[in-house]
Amino acid sequence: MKLHELSAAELLRHYAAKTLSPVEVTRAVIAHIGRWEPHLHATYAFDGEAALKQAADSEARWLKGQPQGALDGVPAMIKENIATQGTPTPLGTAATELKPADRDAPPAARLREAGAVILGKTTMPDYGMLSSGLSSFHPLTRNPWDLSKNPGGSSSGAGAGVAAGYGPLHVGTDIGGSVRLPAGWCGIFTLKPSLGRIPIYPPYAGRVAGPMTRTVEDAALMMGVLSLPDARDTMSLPYQDIAWSSLDRDLRGLKIGLLMDAGWGFPVEPQVRDAVEAAARAFEAEGAIVTSMKPFMTREMADGMDRFWRTRSWIDICALPAERRAKVLPFIVEWARGGEGQSGEAVFKGYSQMAAMREAAVAACAPFDVVFSPTCPIPAFAAGLPCPTNDPSRPFEHIAFTLPYNMSEQPAASINCGYTSSGLPIGLQIIGHRFDDLGVLQVSRAWERLRPAQRDWPTPP
């Protein structure tokens, strides 16, 4: 296997045995990114020279038998909106004033402390408000499985980068599906953890950081590092020393809810439906108990949340000087303009729908150990579109399966479960109870073992 294809777990075993060095691995990953990047445009602030310096320091530690941390020498990349000291954080939009960040945000700090070799950042759309690789600041990010298709978003570059082999470890963020949608459309694994499990800054309702990797084992390795405490996140959970590497689970008697109708948004396309239902049947054959679920979300919930988010975004956009406001992606401006002139009553009622979503999700999942659903009802869409509808009045039809678990704070993973007839990946979403992040990883690892052989990862044109 080529060096850029090795998992973090495999690399660490090689480093310990002195059969590979972080320097040769980092060089190989940098060269591979160089072949892909003119086609994908998935990176921001990429710094190969700095990465090689980090790799040399890591190599010296491994030669002494004194690795710095659990990820020492493993190449990693960080989503652009997670601050890294000395690098501006444009938030995906040309409207941002580019000022170097004063310090690392918690996920970046934890990776650095663990010895990871940080290659740079990955792209995102304006303010993270699109499930797309379209940005007014970054070049258009594309899906490596099909360059005419979208990688999803808002962790666009991370999803594309993992699938393309830009190092084994990536970190994204998610407030409505932003790690899971790229994972589903790029055929990779991700975990949106319980709110507060991974400290982040700034924190706010629904926002989490999560690992984006090719394997469940690598995501578990990252969770052991990213979940370490950081007082800057005032919404973080009390730290728990969880045995993240304990991924084995007996499937006999496992209660699985199967949700194939989100209650609003796009209907599930037949190829997506077939792949997800086949995964459920595979678990059933192992002794799990699968029960079909009725939808618990409503259009009122989705529209209320939309009104609140539009209003919040319109307030932020209006606060920009005119010359900077003009640089925001026009689709985002048009969408946010829907919040203009909303009454206090309308905004409050919209905000309240997020609490209604939370209660409905928790109640619907309560009878089961985990819930299965499509990550998204449709496969990847055209690369140049901001969203599948290309309509700012209906921008969220594709996030009906992912959104509720941000509001309910439940852990939810996306893992590949098949391919369309044209070869595009299809994501299976696995949802657990609040705080049962390890359980979601365990069920995901079980599927990784049960699923049919995966297709080879895409290669540069």
Side-chain angles (χ1 to χ4, degrees):
M1 183 176 285
K2 296 176 181 178
L3 295 185
H4 67 266
E5 295 180 336
L6 294 174
S7 70
E10 290 169 325
L11 289 176
L12 290 166
R13 288 192 286 272
H14 277 292
Y15 295 162
K18 297 184 174 58
T19 51
L20 284 177
S21 82
V23 172
E24 64 180 315
V25 169
T26 301
R27 281 185 182 140
V29 172
I30 289 171
H32 184 68
I33 292 173
R35 292 187 288 271
W36 254 126
E37 189 57 7
H39 309 283
L40 291 188
H41 302 296
T43 68
Y44 163 67
F46 182 83
D47 193 338
E49 185 176 337
L52 286 170
K53 173 63 170 64
Q54 296 169 55
D57 292 343
S58 172
E59 182 179 78
R61 293 190 294 268
W62 279 108
L63 288 172
K64 294 176 184 176
Q66 298 175 346
Q68 177 175 305
L71 303 176
D72 205 343
V74 180
M77 298 195 76
I78 299 167
K79 187 177 177 181
E80 181 251 278
N81 64 343
I82 299 173
T84 51
Q85 186 174 22
T87 303
T89 308
L91 304 178
T93 178
T96 301
E97 289 185 305
L98 298 180
K99 298 178 180 178
D102 293 334
R103 61 191 299 197
D104 287 339
R110 299 296 86 75
L111 288 178
R112 212 181 294 278
E113 291 161 3
V117 173
I118 298 173
L119 296 162
K121 313 293 284 288
T122 50
T123 57
M124 62 181 283
D126 290 53
Y127 301 114
M129 291 307 298
L130 296 176
S131 304
S132 170
L134 184 64
S135 160
S136 63
F137 180 81
H138 303 293
L140 178 64
T141 304
R142 296 177 180 272
N143 191 319
W145 290 94
D146 180 342
L147 294 174
S148 73
K149 300 298 183 183
N150 215 294
S154 62
S155 302
S156 315
V162 175
Y166 284 26
L169 304 182
H170 288 248
V171 184
T173 62
D174 191 311
I175 193 172
S178 288
V179 296
R180 288 160 290 159
L181 293 165
W185 287 328
C186 293
I188 68 169
F189 178 74
T190 193
L191 173 68
K192 180 207 78 67
S194 301
L195 183 75
R197 178 69 72 201
I198 294 176
I200 194 168
Y201 186 83
Y204 49 82
R207 186 186 190 218
V208 301
M212 301 179 72
T213 60
R214 287 185 171 184
T215 70
V216 177
E217 183 181 23
D218 277 3
L221 273 172
M222 292 187 79
M223 288 302 296
V225 169
L226 296 174
S227 63
L228 291 170
D230 194 304
R232 288 176 288 172
D233 185 346
T234 54
M235 299 175 71
S236 61
L237 298 172
Y239 173 70
Q240 287 180 273
D241 186 12
I242 294 170
W244 295 107
S245 61
S246 299
L247 295 175
D248 292 333
R249 181 159 184 167
D250 187 351
L251 301 182
R252 289 172 297 182
L254 182 75
K255 292 179 288 185
I256 299 173
L258 181 61
L259 181 67
M260 299 303 297
D261 179 355
W264 65 283
F266 289 139
V268 178
E269 290 198 4
Q271 292 184 89
V272 175
R273 177 180 296 277
D274 291 347
V276 172
E277 290 180 344
R281 288 195 299 271
F283 276 84
E284 207 165 35
E286 296 294 316
I289 302 164
V290 177
T291 304
S292 294
M293 295 172 62
K294 294 180 179 179
F296 59 84
M297 282 274 286
T298 65
R299 173 59 69 175
E300 183 183 8
M301 293 174 186
D303 288 348
M305 174 219 67
D306 186 26
R307 284 195 302 275
F308 171 75
W309 279 2
R310 285 176 191 256
T311 303
R312 190 181 80 171
S313 296
W314 184 246
I315 291 169
D316 290 342
I317 289 172
C318 287
L320 296 172
E323 65 275 11
R324 287 171 55 196
R325 192 184 317 149
K327 296 178 180 179
V328 178
L329 196 72
F331 184 94
I332 294 291
V333 175
E334 187 61 27
W335 165 74
R337 196 185 303 278
E340 184 180 19
Q342 292 275 347
S343 69
E345 179 181 358
V347 174
F348 176 77
K349 286 182 176 178
Y351 181 81
S352 298
Q353 287 303 314
M354 293 195 292
M357 213 181 295
R358 173 193 181 99
E359 291 193 11
V362 170
C365 295
F368 309 105
D369 297 310
V370 291
V371 168
F372 285 5
S373 81
T375 302
C376 185
I378 63 171
F381 59 100
L385 296 182
C387 68
T389 63
N390 196 27
D391 181 355
S393 71
R394 296 173 54 247
F396 297 135
E397 302 302 298
H398 58 295
I399 70 170
F401 284 106
T402 53
L403 174 64
Y405 310 109
N406 293 84
M407 303 304 110
S408 66
E409 305 180 11
Q410 294 169 253
S414 179
I415 186 167
N416 195 52
C417 71
Y419 304 88
T420 67
S421 57
S422 61
L424 294 174
I426 295 169
L428 165 68
Q429 185 175 218
I430 300 174
I431 305 105
H433 294 291
R434 285 180 73 205
F435 316 131
D436 189 22
D437 305 76
L438 179 59
V440 171
L441 286 174
Q442 289 171 335
V443 176
S444 299
R445 178 65 181 124
W447 172 241
E448 204 172 41
R449 289 171 170 161
L450 287 173
R451 68 186 177 183
Q454 298 294 281
R455 299 186 181 185
D456 291 339
W457 292 103
T459 55

